[in-house]
Amino acid sequence: MKVMEYKDIYDCGNKLNKLAFNRTFSLATGSKEDYYNRFVRKTDYLELNNVENDFIGDKFVRSFESYSNPQNQKFSMSFNLKEDLNRAIKLPKVYKSSNKNLEQIFFERSSKREFKNTIWSLQDVSNLFSGIRVFSNKHRSYASGGGLYPINLYFFAQKIRGLKKMAVYRYQPVTHTVLEIGEIHQNNLSAYAHIENFVNLENISMMMFLVNNRNENEFKYGNRGTIFSLVEAGEMIQTIALCAAEYNYKMCQLGGYNIEKSNVELKIDGVNTFIAACAVVGS
């Protein structure tokens, strides 16, 4: 049986630069070949090869001139315009009871895959999202290119008192509220993510998604806005993970989620708005 290395027959993006995964497979079965082939993408997958190299081009000059207009800037930075308060559920004031120092919180941040049979309250939701809310002085604890904040947080509620089970909610950081978007079609979170190896997955409180809205920042930054958005999503998910460690919640970030099914439930198209991060949280 002939055994070949991955780098011998596959390349990523072009034939000049090949990726060596140091894995082997048999050409007789083809199963592993099909598996690895799922991860081969062209280098222009996110159109990053068309990113401007600087900010002196005419396109960026016009963009900054428009953005610097006082009226336009006021509209862009007025976060309240994007939040719906008519049906929103107000979260309690963040409860600060932890005496942990920052080093201890860093140390305790780790992926957890076993969950206790505990029903969360809205207070728990408030605590978990405390690090990504907008403070009274309109300050946020994480950076965003141009202060445009294109990343929104959605979650599927499973065991949270005061919220519908298996319903979709969007977090509104200015007013520290959650807004119901609809109900999911499946009654099991494992239909949306590969969490079968978790212990007591029925005890997961929520499955969250960070969703990027490309229109929110690409009007200013073009394709480079995608890079800025992914950085922002990373800062947000890390901030949430540190809050989880502070309040002794259990959290695990996921890469194996079903994109198509999740997009349907979140009511996003997967192109102009797409999932940038996913995680489950519980006690």
Side-chain angles (χ1 to χ4, degrees):
M1 181 176 2
K2 183 178 181 181
V3 176
M4 301 183 68
E5 291 188 3
Y6 177 87
K7 63 180 180 179
D8 290 336
I9 62 173
Y10 282 107
D11 63 87
C12 182
N14 57 67
K15 296 184 181 302
L16 297 179
N17 298 314
K18 296 187 177 183
L19 295 178
F21 279 33
N22 295 322
R23 291 176 175 155
T24 60
F25 63 88
S26 169
L27 293 180
T29 62
S31 58
K32 290 186 178 180
E33 178 180 352
D34 293 337
Y35 177 79
Y36 293 139
N37 192 46
R38 295 187 306 144
F39 304 102
V40 177
R41 293 292 184 269
K42 294 182 179 180
T43 53
D44 60 354
Y45 178 57
L46 292 176
E47 298 181 343
L48 300 184
N49 59 326
N50 295 322
V51 171
E52 297 281 352
N53 290 322
D54 52 50
F55 286 91
I56 63 176
D58 291 340
K59 180 176 66 176
F60 283 110
V61 170
R62 291 194 301 271
S63 174
F64 280 112
E65 287 177 350
S66 174
Y67 183 74
S68 61
N69 178 286
Q71 189 64 31
N72 292 343
Q73 189 176 40
K74 180 180 179 181
F75 177 82
S76 298
M77 300 298 287
S78 183
F79 305 118
N80 299 58
L81 296 177
K82 303 177 182 179
E83 298 196 354
D84 182 354
L85 300 181
N86 293 329
R87 299 178 293 110
I89 299 174
K90 182 71 175 178
L91 295 176
K93 184 179 180 181
V94 176
Y95 180 57
K96 290 290 183 182
S97 64
S98 174
N99 294 320
K100 299 178 182 179
N101 58 42
L102 191 58
E103 183 176 1
Q104 184 178 358
I105 294 174
F106 284 153
F107 180 79
E108 293 182 1
R109 193 236 58 85
S110 62
S111 297
K112 308 292 196 310
R113 294 178 173 82
E114 183 174 352
F115 300 91
K116 297 179 181 178
N117 185 13
T118 302
I119 299 178
W120 270 25
S121 67
L122 292 179
Q123 183 67 64
D124 295 306
V125 179
S126 177
N127 294 342
L128 182 67
F129 296 159
S130 61
I132 62 170
R133 74 190 191 279
V134 177
F135 294 87
S136 58
N137 61 353
K138 295 186 177 181
H139 171 75
R140 298 206 195 196
S141 62
Y142 59 93
S144 179
L148 298 173
Y149 298 98
I151 304 294
N152 292 303
L153 187 147
Y154 295 77
F155 64 93
F156 300 164
Q158 180 168 249
K159 296 192 68 173
I160 304 175
R161 187 182 299 108
L163 300 181
K164 291 183 181 179
K165 185 176 182 180
M166 297 304 174
V168 186
Y169 291 87
R170 184 179 76 238
Y171 174 62
Q172 302 188 130
V174 176
T175 53
H176 199 47
T177 59
V178 295
L179 183 69
E180 183 182 347
I181 303 301
E183 297 182 5
I184 64 178
H185 294 82
Q186 303 293 328
N187 200 36
N188 194 328
L189 294 180
S190 62
Y192 301 95
H194 300 296
I195 52 178
E196 291 82 0
N197 62 333
F198 285 31
V199 178
N200 299 326
L201 58 88
E202 70 278 1
N203 293 331
I204 293 173
S205 299
M206 70 166 68
M207 177 182 291
M208 70 174 69
F209 301 87
L210 296 183
V211 175
N212 178 39
N213 186 340
R214 299 177 64 177
N215 296 327
E216 294 292 329
N217 69 354
E218 289 192 7
F219 78 91
K220 178 180 180 182
Y221 294 116
N223 291 331
R224 190 179 291 204
T226 301
I227 301 175
F228 297 161
S229 296
L230 296 179
V231 171
E232 180 178 332
E235 294 186 21
M236 289 180 68
I237 200 72
Q238 174 67 357
T239 299
I240 296 170
L242 293 178
C243 288
E246 179 182 4
Y247 290 99
N248 299 315
Y249 303 138
K250 296 178 180 179
M251 175 174 168
C252 185
Q253 299 180 40
L254 303 176
Y257 53 88
N258 189 302
I259 296 177
E260 290 78 12
K261 288 184 178 180
S262 300
N263 286 347
V264 170
E265 307 296 5
L266 297 172
K267 296 179 173 59
I268 61 176
D269 59 25
V271 180
N272 293 308
T273 50
F274 64 87
I275 299 171
C278 175
V280 290
V281 194
S283 296

